[in-house]
Amino acid sequence: MNACRFRADWVAAAAACFVVLSCTPQRTTRMTADDLDVMSQALANSLAASEAVVNRTPDSPLWVITINKVQNLSSDVMTESEQWSVMARIRSSLPIQELWRQKNIRFVIPAQRLHALQNSSQSPSTATAGSRRQPTHEMSATFRSVTRAQARKRTDLYYCEFHLVGLNTSERVWSDKFEYKRAAAGHVWD
Amino acid sequence: MRRSKRSSLFVVAIGLAFSGLLLGCQPKMVDVTPQLTQSDFVQARELIHQKRIKNPQDEAYMLEQMRLGILTLAHGDAQSAQTVFSGVYEQIRTQGLNRDKAFEAVVLNEDLKFWKGEPFEQALALVYYTLDLAALGQWDNARAAADNALFQLGDFDEDDSQSPETAGGAPPTAASDQQAGYATDTSGFTLGYLLKGLASQQLRRDNEANDFFNAAVESDPSLRPICDSLRRNKYNHVLIVSYGLGPKKVGRGADQSELAFESRTASGDQPLMVRLDQRRNTAFPVVCDINQMAQEHNWNNLQGLRRDKSALGTGLLAGSAAVLAHDQQSKKKRGKKHDKSDSDEAKIVAASMAVVGMILKAGAHIDTRYCDVLPQRVYLVPINITNKRTTVELAIAGKAHSRLVLAGLSPPTDGRPRLRYVRLMHAGDAASRPAGWATSGRIYYSNDITGPIDGPHLPYILGGQCVRRPSHETLRSYQQSGYLQDVSLTELEQLYRAEGILFDTQDQNGFAGKHVLEGGRSFVLPDAGTSGFARLLGQEHPPYAPQSQALKDFLAKHAQQLSLAR
């Protein structure tokens, strides 16, 4: 019995150490890849369950959605590849991929990417690539943030708004937002 | 030798060795002082790049990256500079980087800390990142970087028990900040305000832009004409022009424990004179004096500790001498009755005190590492270029050696303004003449930015004046000039490949090397409107020296045809 309790004490101590070690305070409030992953998944689920989409069938009129890269109005620098990857994550998520089959919705290559492809490639065939894109909707996103800081603490609250707009009607058919907070300890100048 | 004497000598030897180690603990960064003094930024950049610190765990890594990034942007290569600055940004955004080095910094010396720079150096690193992102057309990211630059000069209270404020001390309400989407600050950093305003304007956030332009004018009323010009939004180019060398960080006082900044280029309010296509001159004022920034924005948190260490070290050395002196006196007084073991003990105590004193004094000096490639002053020049291949002439009033002519600037085709960073030459006195390439105003080589020059076209590697990337179009122009009639595009590309020439920054691990015109292997050109572009294309370079057998054979085979070009 004593041996069991001894072992249990050690296990509890080891677990506590693990928790403490894994809970070391963060040193930066920058956005992380995990934040973008979680956010993309949540927003993909939201779009798939939205009123505009949930009642559609495979025979509904085709929606062709083009995406813009994220507009960054936050206090953190997001590289261009990060800005595109946010949209790419949503597009490649399982709920969104199901839309192709069940709701007659397609995502197409963004216009900026298409132009870059046409400009960079010397092959004549790329000149006509994407000629039947004809998007019907456009998805866009904007990142913002608010900062609170003292000498040794900083907190950034990030929130991202997504919109899906009909290109012919300019009507917003879906929008949602996602928030998360990042806190860091340690002197700002050190 | 008696054991006690050996012990004392051993203690002293260890102490001397340790002190020497502390004194010599400065990381070995490449010294480019001679190149900077001569305004040879190209050579300085080359040296730093070749001998750069590659280990991110090295204490001087960020300093080396910052130096490289600034000189790369001065060269006109914003793409390569971004690779460098993204790492610098990551370091600056990491808080408490030296938390684990606090003990070493306090007990030993500050050189053992990761270099992160004084607050003004951190802000300027972020300003350069802002310029780099703006030069790449990423105005949203440029706005974020400018925001961070202003944040770094915030008036942070060391007392964390006070209620939090937004960066820079603006009245804090989460709702108002969320609603407006931004918060202004009161750091007085006019260059930061102007850049933030500029970026906001490009994002069509006019209210935000106006607020930051107003903050710039409030901080420095002489900037009102520039801000009015920016507000009118009638510019399609913004030149950020820098001059001189920023201040040097030195230690003064006992054991160099007092922080001071010495000017290397004197401050001054001489305006920058700008002339487009030889029309009338327009004057632009200084928007940032880095000598002044260094005095106002440094973080001297260990000043008291360094002074105490120096004083304590001096005291211990004096005490050591006193112990020895007392021992000598005792010996004289007691004569033969003097106990030698007491004398031995005194020597060990004196030696120990001396050693500790030496260690404290050796570690009392300030960390003198600083970013030596920063300029002394910065100008901001919004201009509207209406003609293709416009020349823009820059010169600081009264400093003829600073004159620089930028050739080949054209109105942007996508309707978005261009931002360019220009570093003026500072070497020489008022009567010195600038280098030939700096004032030629000519473009000697056909290139992918400004297009073909007049005259027959032939690749530079074949003896001609063309450094455009091989393509169907360029091959056609060579053939229309009477050359390479029997050569296909594939064959031409193979010649470049045989020479090891690289066309893209991505092919060069994100950092373009020296251009082919200067003996390198890169075909990546600096942006038009930079001093790097003027230096490369504004002068004649020696003929190309073939490296590969394939090119040598080709030149031999087509010798008669190609000799016409030479």
Side-chain angles (χ1 to χ4, degrees):
Chain A
M1 183 67 138
N2 282 342
C4 285
R5 197 181 327 138
F6 181 74
R7 269 203 294 277
D9 287 344
W10 272 106
V11 168
C17 285
F18 177 76
V19 168
V20 165
L21 286 170
S22 60
C23 285
T24 46
Q26 292 299 311
R27 294 198 186 184
T28 177
T29 58
R30 294 199 65 197
M31 291 182 272
T32 67
D34 287 343
D35 296 330
L36 302 179
D37 271 336
V38 170
M39 182 195 66
S40 304
Q41 195 64 37
L43 286 161
N45 290 333
S46 167
L47 173 63
S50 66
E51 205 179 300
V53 170
V54 76
N55 295 321
R56 288 176 58 85
T57 67
D59 300 319
S60 297
L62 177 65
W63 274 11
V64 178
I65 301 177
T66 181
I67 54 174
N68 276 328
K69 64 176 178 157
V70 167
Q71 185 184 38
N72 179 24
L73 296 179
S74 76
S75 59
D76 192 15
V77 172
M78 283 178 82
T79 62
E80 282 216 326
S81 59
E82 283 172 338
Q83 292 177 7
W84 282 116
S85 75
V86 169
M87 295 308 218
R89 279 181 172 97
I90 293 176
R91 201 181 66 216
S92 63
S93 64
L94 279 173
I96 297 300
Q97 286 188 6
E98 280 299 301
L99 297 181
W100 183 291
R101 194 170 55 83
Q102 295 177 0
K103 308 290 182 180
N104 203 20
I105 292 176
R106 310 275 187 273
F107 281 85
V108 294
I109 186 172
Q112 286 158 289
R113 291 285 208 187
L114 178 62
H115 293 148
L117 177 69
Q118 287 170 338
N119 289 338
S120 64
S121 172
Q122 303 215 351
S123 166
S125 62
T126 55
T128 55
S131 57
R132 293 190 296 169
R133 286 174 70 249
Q134 294 174 335
T136 59
H137 292 73
E138 183 181 78
M139 184 184 286
S140 59
T142 305
F143 268 76
R144 300 177 202 273
S145 67
V146 175
T147 302
R148 290 283 175 272
Q150 296 165 309
R152 289 187 176 81
K153 293 175 203 165
R154 174 172 175 163
T155 303
D156 279 282
L157 169 68
Y158 296 94
Y159 57 107
C160 185
E161 292 174 278
F162 280 74
H163 303 291
L164 182 64
V165 172
L167 290 173
N168 291 333
T169 61
S170 296
E171 186 188 335
R172 187 176 295 179
V173 299
W174 167 80
S175 68
D176 204 348
K177 75 174 190 180
F178 186 84
E179 287 184 11
Y180 58 93
K181 199 183 274 192
R182 284 270 157 266
H187 204 291
V188 166
W189 291 330
D190 193 14
Chain B
M1 192 185 282
R2 291 173 58 183
R3 190 191 287 179
S4 60
K5 201 169 182 179
R6 278 202 300 271
S7 302
S8 308
L9 285 171
F10 180 73
V11 170
V12 170
I14 292 292
L16 282 169
F18 204 55
S19 305
L21 198 64
L22 286 178
L23 278 169
C25 249
Q26 290 276 358
K28 297 288 180 284
M29 289 190 313
V30 60
D31 180 17
V32 292
T33 307
Q35 289 77 19
L36 292 176
T37 308
Q38 294 302 315
S39 297
D40 190 355
F41 303 119
V42 176
Q43 189 58 19
R45 173 179 173 256
E46 272 305 302
L47 283 171
I48 292 174
H49 184 243
Q50 281 168 18
K51 299 181 183 179
R52 69 195 182 282
I53 297 168
K54 293 176 187 167
N55 178 10
Q57 302 307 314
D58 192 295
E59 291 85 7
Y61 178 75
M62 183 182 143
L63 174 55
E64 200 81 308
Q65 292 293 94
M66 186 172 162
R67 297 164 96 207
L68 185 60
I70 290 172
L71 292 174
T72 302
L73 195 60
H75 173 61
D77 185 357
Q79 197 70 49
S80 299
Q82 187 186 25
T83 307
V84 178
F85 278 124
S86 57
V88 172
Y89 176 68
E90 186 68 47
Q91 294 270 52
I92 292 178
R93 284 296 306 268
T94 304
Q95 296 169 219
L97 198 63
N98 286 297
R99 190 161 55 196
D100 298 333
K101 296 232 172 197
F103 176 78
E104 293 145 286
V106 165
V107 172
L108 298 177
N109 71 63
E110 290 175 34
D111 301 349
L112 299 171
K113 289 169 73 170
F114 288 112
W115 186 91
K116 213 176 161 186
E118 298 290 340
F120 82 93
E121 287 171 311
Q122 294 177 20
L124 287 169
L126 292 167
V127 159
Y128 272 96
Y129 196 21
T130 304
L131 299 181
D132 180 49
L133 292 165
L136 291 168
Q138 296 177 30
W139 289 103
D140 52 354
N141 281 330
R143 176 182 171 274
D147 196 50
N148 279 277
L150 290 166
F151 178 86
Q152 290 304 114
L153 295 182
D155 189 13
F156 295 111
D157 202 304
E158 295 287 345
D159 179 5
D160 285 344
S161 65
Q162 291 195 1
S163 58
E165 292 187 355
T166 54
T173 58
S176 67
D177 285 347
Q178 272 202 11
Q179 198 173 8
Y182 63 92
T184 53
D185 77 358
T186 54
S187 65
F189 185 27
T190 50
L191 179 58
Y193 293 147
L194 288 171
L195 291 175
K196 178 90 186 267
L198 196 61
S200 302
Q201 193 176 52
Q202 297 317 310
L203 299 173
R204 300 202 176 100
R205 295 170 62 84
D206 292 330
N207 288 339
E208 184 180 56
N210 277 327
D211 280 347
F212 280 95
F213 293 148
N214 289 340
V217 173
E218 201 176 306
S219 178
D220 183 355
S222 73
L223 299 182
R224 186 176 294 283
I226 285 186
C227 290
D228 288 343
S229 172
L230 289 170
R231 264 188 261 265
R232 284 193 292 273
N233 205 355
K234 297 289 183 197
Y235 58 89
N236 57 20
H237 276 76
V238 177
L239 304 179
I240 307 295
V241 183
S242 69
Y243 171 81
L245 289 177
K248 181 178 178 179
K249 189 176 181 183
V250 296
R252 286 198 184 136
D255 300 313
Q256 298 180 345
S257 59
E258 310 263 341
L259 167 67
F261 280 95
E262 287 178 353
S263 298
R264 290 185 292 168
T265 300
S267 295
D269 57 1
Q270 301 92 340
L272 178 71
M273 308 308 293
V274 181
R275 193 152 70 149
L276 271 64
D277 279 338
Q278 300 181 347
R279 298 201 295 263
R280 66 181 179 87
N281 267 320
T282 308
F284 292 85
V286 177
V287 303
C288 182
D289 179 346
I290 292 169
N291 287 342
Q292 191 179 347
M293 272 188 89
Q295 303 302 328
E296 291 170 358
H297 296 288
N298 58 69
W299 188 41
N300 215 352
N301 63 322
L302 295 179
Q303 175 78 68
L305 188 70
R306 288 194 300 269
R307 275 196 202 126
D308 292 343
K309 280 168 71 176
S310 174
L312 188 59
T314 305
L316 284 170
L317 282 175
S320 162
V323 165
L324 284 173
H326 182 264
D327 179 58
Q328 287 298 316
Q329 261 187 338
S330 280
K331 227 189 227 176
K332 274 183 190 168
K333 265 187 193 170
R334 291 187 183 177
K336 285 182 184 173
K337 290 182 189 171
H338 177 70
D339 186 351
K340 282 183 181 167
S341 66
D342 283 347
S343 196
D344 293 342
E345 209 175 283
K347 280 176 189 160
I348 291 174
V349 167
S352 303
M353 287 174 73
V355 161
V356 174
M358 278 191 291
I359 290 171
L360 284 173
K361 285 176 75 67
H365 65 271
I366 68 157
D367 178 5
T368 52
R369 293 175 297 177
Y370 73 107
C371 186
D372 56 345
V373 303
L374 286 172
Q376 181 270 310
R377 67 183 75 168
V378 181
Y379 301 86
L380 189 146
V381 180
I383 48 176
N384 193 39
I385 290 177
T386 52
N387 299 326
K388 276 190 173 179
R389 298 202 185 190
T390 298
T391 56
V392 177
E393 208 173 303
L394 307 169
I396 294 175
K399 295 184 191 295
H401 59 269
S402 68
R403 187 165 165 258
L404 178 65
V405 180
L406 305 173
L409 286 160
S410 299
T413 50
D414 58 0
R416 306 199 76 185
R418 298 270 184 273
L419 184 141
R420 294 290 178 257
Y421 175 63
V422 183
R423 187 99 187 226
L424 298 179
M425 315 289 273
H426 61 265
D429 54 28
S432 300
R433 283 166 50 187
W437 61 262
T439 55
S440 74
R442 284 187 56 185
I443 296 175
Y444 285 85
Y445 296 87
S446 299
N447 63 86
D448 289 317
I449 296 177
T450 58
I453 58 172
D454 294 333
H457 301 140
L458 184 67
Y460 173 66
I461 64 169
L462 299 181
Q465 299 286 109
C466 183
V467 290
R468 288 178 294 171
R469 186 174 182 152
S471 67
H472 290 293
E473 187 192 330
T474 54
L475 181 59
R476 248 194 318 274
S477 69
Y478 303 144
Q479 290 169 343
Q480 281 168 0
S481 298
Y483 303 112
L484 310 183
Q485 303 293 344
D486 57 343
V487 176
S488 69
L489 179 60
T490 306
E491 284 171 305
L492 183 59
E493 286 171 336
Q494 276 170 357
L495 291 176
Y496 283 91
R497 215 170 291 125
E499 291 294 298
I501 288 172
L502 300 166
F503 294 102
D504 296 309
T505 308
Q506 292 94 303
D507 298 333
Q508 301 173 64
N509 295 320
F511 192 90
K514 244 185 180 177
H515 196 270
V516 164
L517 286 171
E518 290 183 317
R521 288 284 158 261
S522 175
F523 240 52
V524 175
L525 276 176
D527 294 323
T530 61
S531 32
F533 186 88
R535 194 194 70 255
L536 258 187
L537 300 178
Q539 61 178 324
E540 292 267 18
H541 293 276
Y544 183 75
Q547 306 291 310
S548 67
Q549 195 56 49
L551 181 57
K552 288 174 185 170
D553 292 344
F554 183 91
L555 288 168
K557 186 180 170 188
H558 297 83
Q560 195 180 5
Q561 188 190 118
L562 296 178
S563 65
L564 297 171
R566 299 194 188 100

